[in-house]
Amino acid sequence: MLRYIIRRIIAIPLLTFGVVTVCFLLVHNIRGDPLASLLSERQMNDPEVVAAIKARWGLDKSLGEQYVIYVTNLMTGDFGTSFRTRRPVLEDVIDRLPATLELAITALFLGSLVGISLGILAAYYRNRRIDDGARLFALIGSSMPVFWSGLILLFLFSVKFQILPGPGRLDASTQVPPYVTGMFTIDALLDGDFDKFVEAIRHLILPAFVMAWSLMGIISRIVRASMLDVLNQEYILTARSKGARELRVVLNHALRNVLIPTLTIIGFSFAYLITGAILTETIFVWPGVGYYAVASTNALDFPAIMGVTMIGAVAFLVINLVTDISYAFANPKIRLG
């Protein structure tokens, strides 16, 4: 396994280099002028100002020269400077990453817990009302677009019935807890402010559920299909004939053998939740990496777009490696190599 891990780690920079190359070419072929985010309309009509800005940001060089400069800087950890915020892109992303991680981790935990539970219940009570209800819930969650379900749930629970708070991570009048991890729920607990922790949780419920709902549908259907196959195997009948309790048969014998496809979905979904939270963060005004990506795209902020893409690519590659390694722990018969 150690040799397998080393080979995968060595491959990550090579794959990342390919992603950078493709993304660089795509970004620099987008229709639009990035100078629009750097200059006012009046300055755009001044050739001297335009030339100075192009020289300042390296836009006066050829595409090949810009690529070499970008890759060279990237090797030193320099992701460039944002056109929009005038700050290093890496600092911008690091400041916003805790908000996205807090949302993604909560959504992954909620989606996995509910999805696996629904899948087990649907398989165990096959063709009964519980099964029908679980499959209907899964179908709705995996079919509805995130932007639609987010707006509907936000209107119902925040505007109509006022059960949960509106967009944002905290109320507008609430002071941010002292920075430790950047995750408001954890920082509030570390600060001993339980009221602020509850407020942060209340703000987290809706966006996390919107992201988790589609994940619940996918996981529950995979677990249900796998459990139906496993529950008919001979070793399950043998365990039952030996007098094993039904809960132990389902959880220890059956569930353990359906973990492989479930781990694949969970691992892939976590990487997707980190980089694909654009719509959810935009709807709920959640100041994470996704919200930053939308604002950068609207402003044709090339360095910021490239930086977000780079971090997303690395997240996919690393989480994919962790998922593959987890197979060996879920099933000792699997040998990686």
Side-chain angles (χ1 to χ4, degrees), residues 255-267:
L255 181 60
R256 188 171 183 178
N257 287 277
V258 304
L259 284 180
I260 299 300
T262 307
L263 285 173
T264 303
I265 294 299
I266 291 176

Side-chain angles (χ1 to χ4, degrees), residues 190-268:
L190 293 176
D191 190 44
D193 193 338
F194 187 73
D195 291 337
K196 193 171 293 184
F197 167 76
V198 173
E199 183 179 327
I201 288 291
R202 283 170 52 80
H203 277 266
L204 188 59
I205 290 174
L206 269 183
F209 179 80
V210 168
M211 291 179 64
W213 198 356
S214 60
L215 181 60
M216 293 175 194
I218 297 171
I219 291 179
S220 64
R221 286 188 292 180
I222 289 177
V223 171
R224 179 185 183 277
S226 301
M227 286 287 291
L228 287 176
D229 181 61
V230 169
L231 288 173
N232 293 321
Q233 298 295 323
E234 292 184 358
Y235 66 89
I236 298 293
L237 299 177
T238 302
R240 285 171 172 165
S241 65
K242 289 183 177 180
R245 284 185 287 183
E246 195 66 16
L247 183 63
R248 182 176 181 180
V249 171
V250 173
L251 297 182
N252 288 7
H253 294 79
L255 181 60
R256 188 171 183 178
N257 287 277
V258 304
L259 284 180
I260 299 300
T262 307
L263 285 173
T264 303
I265 294 299
I266 291 176
F268 174 80

Side-chain angles (χ1 to χ4, degrees), residues 278-310:
I278 293 176
L279 292 175
T280 305
E281 290 186 0
T282 302
I283 292 169
F284 291 93
V285 197
W286 197 268
V289 177
Y291 194 77
Y292 176 73
V294 171
S296 301
T297 303
N298 291 335
L300 290 180
D301 189 347
F302 290 168
I305 296 171
M306 290 289 297
V308 172
T309 304
M310 273 285 301

Side-chain angles (χ1 to χ4, degrees), residues 48-128:
E48 293 184 0
V49 174
V50 171
I53 290 297
K54 283 186 176 181
R56 162 70 177 82
W57 295 95
L59 298 174
D60 58 335
K61 296 179 173 58
S62 66
L63 187 62
E65 290 176 310
Q66 292 183 49
Y67 175 75
V68 172
I69 293 172
Y70 182 78
V71 173
T72 303
N73 292 338
L74 200 61
M75 291 180 179
T76 63
D78 183 5
F79 284 67
T81 303
S82 170
F83 294 165
R84 186 172 55 88
T85 64
R86 306 297 196 274
R87 299 179 62 211
V89 172
L90 189 59
E91 290 184 11
D92 279 346
V93 173
I94 289 175
D95 287 346
R96 291 161 175 78
L97 189 59
T100 299
L101 286 176
E102 183 177 44
L103 182 58
I105 291 172
T106 305
L108 183 71
F109 174 77
L110 183 62
S112 301
L113 180 64
V114 176
I116 292 174
S117 301
L118 285 178
I120 294 173
L121 290 173
Y124 191 78
Y125 296 100
R126 181 182 181 182
N127 296 328
R128 301 182 190 177

